[in-house]
Amino acid sequence: MKLLLGLGNPGSEYQWTRHNIGFLFIDAITHKYGIKTATNNSLCWWAKVEIAHQSIILAKPLTYMNLSGQAASWLLSHYSLSPHQLLIIHDDLDLPWGRLKLVEKGGSGGHKGVVSVQEMLGTKNIPRLKIGIGRPPAGTDIVSYVLGEFSPQEKEQLNLILDQAIKAVEMALSEGLSKAMSVFNKRNLCDL
């Protein structure tokens, strides 16, 4: 992996929503490691950091979620990378709150940002880190839920979840994706 792409929506009104957990991950890892250089264009913001003795590109699309593939495609082309060198970080409704799941490939699960990236890159063989946001309470619209702000309890647990997500990525970079999957896919982080 050479490129970590956190999915979310630009704009302060979306900053603390469940759908922006990919952006929050990029912010957290940027805070931990600092950045060498940062820049942006009309499609994305990106920066370089040193993680596990490797130069890694961190990026956030500046398009809205359903156009995230434009940023992914441009970044891979700009840095001459292939889709398997990309790790997408995004929210997942089908995982309980706080659960992490690394995957090497697979379907989008209906996530519009993932659909966009897979369509633009022409493959489902793209590694991803899914961060569970759980399902909405009965009677709550899914769009309202994912675009809704974190509950007070979720906000209290968010730093722990992002910290564990960073550790999962660090292990994937230093020891390989399979090793990180064997360790982090089994944990329910909110029970730690």
Side-chain angles (χ1 to χ4, degrees), residues 6-176:
L7 300 187
N9 285 306
S12 59
E13 68 269 32
Y14 298 107
Q15 183 176 2
W16 297 106
T17 63
R18 294 177 186 91
H19 218 24
N20 262 36
I21 208 158
F23 274 20
L24 294 172
F25 170 86
I26 295 296
D27 293 343
I29 202 165
T30 299
H31 179 75
K32 179 174 182 177
Y33 284 96
I35 53 177
K36 291 182 182 179
T37 59
T39 191
N40 64 277
N41 60 22
S42 62
L43 296 175
C44 55
W45 170 95
W46 70 99
K48 289 186 179 179
V49 296
E50 194 78 22
I51 304 173
H53 308 293
Q54 300 175 54
S55 182
I56 304 296
I57 302 153
L58 305 176
K60 297 189 282 189
L62 296 179
T63 59
Y64 285 92
M65 183 69 80
N66 60 354
L67 299 175
S68 298
Q70 294 175 3
S73 179
W74 183 86
L75 285 159
L76 292 184
S77 175
H78 182 73
Y79 286 102
S80 300
L81 300 173
S82 62
H84 77 272
Q85 293 176 294
L86 166 65
L87 180 72
I88 302 170
I89 301 96
H90 64 90
D91 59 297
D92 192 294
L93 278 165
D94 293 325
L95 291 174
W97 170 253
R99 187 77 182 260
L100 301 179
K101 186 173 183 182
L102 286 156
V103 296
E104 293 184 63
K105 59 185 176 182
S108 68
H111 192 288
K112 303 283 194 225
V114 176
V115 168
S116 175
V117 173
Q118 290 178 340
E119 286 178 353
M120 286 294 293
L121 301 184
T123 183
K124 292 181 180 179
N125 296 333
I126 304 167
R128 291 182 283 145
L129 172 59
K130 304 175 184 185
I131 303 176
I133 61 168
R135 286 271 167 191
T140 304
D141 174 66
I142 287 179
V143 173
S144 298
Y145 178 73
V146 299
L147 293 178
E149 292 199 3
F150 297 108
S151 71
Q153 182 182 0
E154 289 169 341
K155 283 181 183 175
E156 286 179 18
Q157 298 169 335
L158 190 57
N159 285 337
L160 170 64
I161 293 164
L162 294 173
D163 182 60
Q164 291 300 304
I166 290 170
K167 288 178 181 174
V169 168
E170 290 168 338
M171 182 176 284
L173 289 168
S174 61
E175 300 182 50

